[in-house]
Amino acid sequence: DTAVSQTPKYLVTQMGNDKSIKCEQNLGHDTMYWYKQDSKKFLKIMFSYNNKELIINETVPNRFSPKSPDKAHLNLHINSLELGDSAVYFCASSPLIAGPSYEQYFGPGTRLTVT
Amino acid sequence: AQSVSQHNHHVILSEAASLELGCNYSYGGTVNLFWYVQYPGQHLQLLLKYFSGDPLVKGIKGFEAEFIKSKFSFNLRKPSVQWSDTAEYFCAANNNAGNMLTFGGGTRLMVKP
């Protein structure tokens, strides 16, 4: 069973379009995240979402908006796509409780290409 | 500001060579440290993590890392690499459960058969 899943795996779209990436976790975790990995493999946090509390990385443009219908889902909606949005987007989840068992589990990634 | 830095961007080794990848962090207070691996075309997988206790942490696939508080370092080691270890390695940190991870820039390891 897949712990953290994302759809679609690949997304090719044109500039100016609006698109969404879906993420689901079946681990019962309290917290979910979105990360962006650029062409140089640099990973950067975009959002953290825990119990309806959203923590935004202030460097993320407001064209990006996470939406969480429930604790198991955190979708990423992107408005007015730009060429620079091309990247691999990873969803992750983690339990809130600290301790040796804590880690973030990552999804398989969504490769977004904006043309 | 919180940051994680990896000094080696690209490392090329022959099979059976020993590996050490550097990681330094800048964090206030208690820090949790992680090493993740990303095999070509795959998602990130956890190799090992440090929260407290023994500063020498053993992970999967024969990897280990040592937390040296005085040096703000958490270097990854493996005594003998294999071709299958070819991957991108990321050091990461946070200072509380549920907090966002800060990643280093990654180290691309290529192991020649």
Side-chain angles (χ1 to χ4, degrees), chain B residues 50-101:
Chain B
Y50 172 81
F51 283 83
S52 62
D54 189 343
L56 185 61
V57 179
K58 294 194 182 299
I60 62 171
K61 305 186 180 187
F63 287 91
E64 65 179 31
E66 185 175 11
F67 171 59
I68 303 180
K69 190 174 182 180
S70 60
K71 295 184 178 180
F72 300 93
S73 70
F74 189 57
N75 292 354
L76 181 71
R77 300 195 293 249
K78 186 171 183 178
S80 176
V81 295
Q82 301 172 315
W83 176 79
S84 58
D85 293 324
T86 294
E88 192 92 19
Y89 291 81
F90 294 93
C91 183
N94 67 8
N95 56 10
N96 204 357
N99 279 5
M100 299 176 284
L101 285 172

Side-chain angles (χ1 to χ4, degrees), chain A residues 31 33 35 37 41-43 45 47-48 55 90 94-104 106-108, chain B residues 32 34 36 38 41-44 46 49 51 88 90 94 96-106 108:
Chain A
T31 308
Y33 314 82
Y35 290 86
Q37 186 176 46
K41 299 286 188 178
F42 189 70
L43 266 165
I45 183 69
F47 304 101
S48 166
I55 302 172
F90 287 98
S94 71
L96 185 59
I97 298 173
S101 62
Y102 170 83
E103 70 177 85
Q104 290 190 16
F106 284 79
Chain B
N32 306 315
F34 307 82
Y36 281 86
Q38 186 178 26
Q42 296 190 26
H43 64 284
L44 284 90
L46 184 70
K49 57 193 174 188
F51 283 83
E88 192 92 19
F90 294 93
N94 67 8
N96 204 357
N99 279 5
M100 299 176 284
L101 285 172
T102 300
F103 281 88
R108 182 165 297 180

Side-chain angles (χ1 to χ4, degrees), chain A:
Chain A
D1 289 341
T2 304
V4 182
S5 59
Q6 295 177 229
T7 54
K9 190 171 183 180
Y10 299 96
L11 181 56
V12 181
T13 188
Q14 291 183 330
M15 285 175 55
N17 285 348
D18 303 337
K19 291 293 179 184
S20 292
I21 306 172
K22 295 184 177 180
C23 177
E24 176 182 1
Q25 54 95 3
N26 61 7
L27 298 166
H29 287 166
D30 297 297
T31 308
M32 296 184 73
Y33 314 82
W34 277 106
Y35 290 86
K36 179 180 179 181
Q37 186 176 46
D38 63 23
S39 59
K40 296 183 178 179
K41 299 286 188 178
F42 189 70
L43 266 165
K44 193 169 185 179
I45 183 69
M46 299 177 71
F47 304 101
S48 166
Y49 204 92
N50 173 47
N51 290 334
K52 300 186 180 180
E53 180 186 3
L54 175 65
I55 302 172
I56 302 173
N57 183 326
E58 59 188 19
T59 66
V60 175
N62 57 15
R63 298 181 294 103
F64 290 79
S65 56
K67 299 185 190 302
S68 180
D70 55 57
K71 198 172 79 166
H73 296 84
L74 182 64
N75 304 325
L76 181 64
H77 189 76
I78 315 170
N79 289 326
S80 303
L81 278 156
E82 300 177 357
L83 292 176
D85 298 332
S86 295
V88 181
Y89 292 85
F90 287 98
C91 177
S93 73
S94 71
L96 185 59
I97 298 173
S101 62
Y102 170 83
E103 70 177 85
Q104 290 190 16
Y105 292 79
F106 284 79
T110 296
R111 183 175 294 276
L112 171 65
T113 303
V114 182
T115 61

